[in-house]
Amino acid sequence: MRERTLDRVRKLLAKAERTDNEHERATFMAAASALMAKHGIDSLPPAGTRQTPADRIVTLPPPWAREKARLVSLVAQAVRCRPLLIGRGDGGQRVHVFGFAADLERADVLATSLLLQMASGLARTEPPAGAVRAYRRSWLLGFTDEVYRLLCAAEKQAAAEAAPTGTAIVLADRRAEVDRVVAAHYPRVRMSVPRTSGTGYRAGVAAGRRADLGRTGMSTATAPELGR
């Protein structure tokens, strides 16, 4: 059932990538998002099954490295992983992502697609004269926040519709297990919230609302459009 669900997701994404109709794209995005969330629920092991969280470090190269790292972080968080921004290294901004294997896979699929969509969307924007960088940065933040909202809504809906009565307990136990692993690696974590400036935020939100969930396999290569 899990493979059938993923196959349906891939077909929806392929349709979304081929269409130039924004309404169709949004429809395909909503369907693919819901199915991806369902895949996360279907991948849960039976209650009492012991699994060990894994982790990976993703490096996002410049330009816009911090904004891309934020997108990767929020996508991972939306699909029940725990991301930490760990700063510069290896030529870019690094994100250390913790989670169970199925959720790390979902974060990988989604982040790869959304990084590409964010790049192409940014390339189509027309910033006002004299505020180009501020506009583009606020656009990127708006895009990321809206994508995060949509993914969280899909995850919440999938969990609410899950048939097993113990799903909430399993999810809570897995979240606690991931938190324990994170605490062992990083005993002291500092929270931060990016400041938004520029007038592109609302346009970025609108673009995020239209995003589809794209291709598979997280790539850390810089899309050309993000260099503008």
Side-chain angles (χ1 to χ4, degrees):
M1 180 62 180
R2 296 173 190 171
E3 287 304 316
R4 289 179 58 190
T5 299
L6 281 178
D7 185 57
R8 290 174 63 193
V9 169
R10 294 186 183 103
K11 289 178 179 178
L12 284 167
L13 300 181
K15 291 179 179 179
E17 291 175 356
R18 289 194 298 265
T19 184
D20 293 327
N21 184 295
E22 291 295 339
H23 177 72
E24 289 182 353
R25 182 183 295 273
T27 300
F28 292 139
M29 178 269 180
S33 175
L35 282 173
M36 184 65 84
K38 182 179 184 301
H39 173 65
I41 295 297
D42 290 344
S43 299
L44 292 175
T49 301
R50 181 73 176 181
Q51 290 185 335
T52 302
D55 68 289
R56 63 183 61 171
I57 295 178
V58 182
T59 302
L60 290 308
W64 303 111
R66 288 181 63 85
E67 288 73 24
K68 288 187 284 187
R70 184 169 182 269
L71 174 68
V72 169
S73 296
L74 288 183
V75 168
Q77 185 173 312
V79 296
R80 300 197 299 270
C81 295
R82 178 79 185 275
L84 283 87
L85 291 168
I86 56 177
R88 293 184 178 276
D90 300 324
Q93 289 287 334
R94 296 172 300 160
V95 182
H96 199 166
V97 185
F98 296 81
F100 290 92
D103 295 329
L104 287 172
E105 178 188 27
R106 295 194 301 140
D108 187 30
V109 170
L110 293 168
T112 299
S113 172
L114 290 166
L115 282 169
L116 293 171
Q117 292 181 63
M118 188 168 72
S120 61
L122 184 65
R124 293 191 298 269
T125 63
E126 297 182 3
V132 174
R133 184 168 180 81
Y135 181 94
R136 285 177 172 158
R137 181 175 183 274
S138 62
W139 187 97
L140 293 170
L141 295 178
F143 178 93
T144 297
D145 287 351
E146 181 62 13
V147 163
Y148 175 68
R149 186 191 69 79
L150 292 172
L151 291 176
C152 285
E155 293 290 319
K156 182 178 180 179
Q157 183 69 20
E161 294 176 352
T165 56
T167 296
I169 296 174
V170 172
L171 291 175
D173 287 346
R174 286 164 71 85
R175 183 164 52 248
E177 186 65 26
V178 171
D179 287 344
R180 281 192 288 270
V181 173
V182 172
H185 279 77
Y186 301 101
R188 300 174 66 180
V189 176
R190 181 173 62 88
M191 304 297 291
S192 64
V193 178
R195 289 178 290 182
T196 303
S197 63
T199 57
Y201 188 86
R202 290 184 180 179
V205 167
R209 190 172 297 128
R210 295 191 298 268
D212 69 80
L213 303 181
R215 304 166 181 82
T216 62
M218 184 178 292
S219 169
T220 58
T222 305
E225 293 83 352
L226 283 176
R228 298 187 178 188

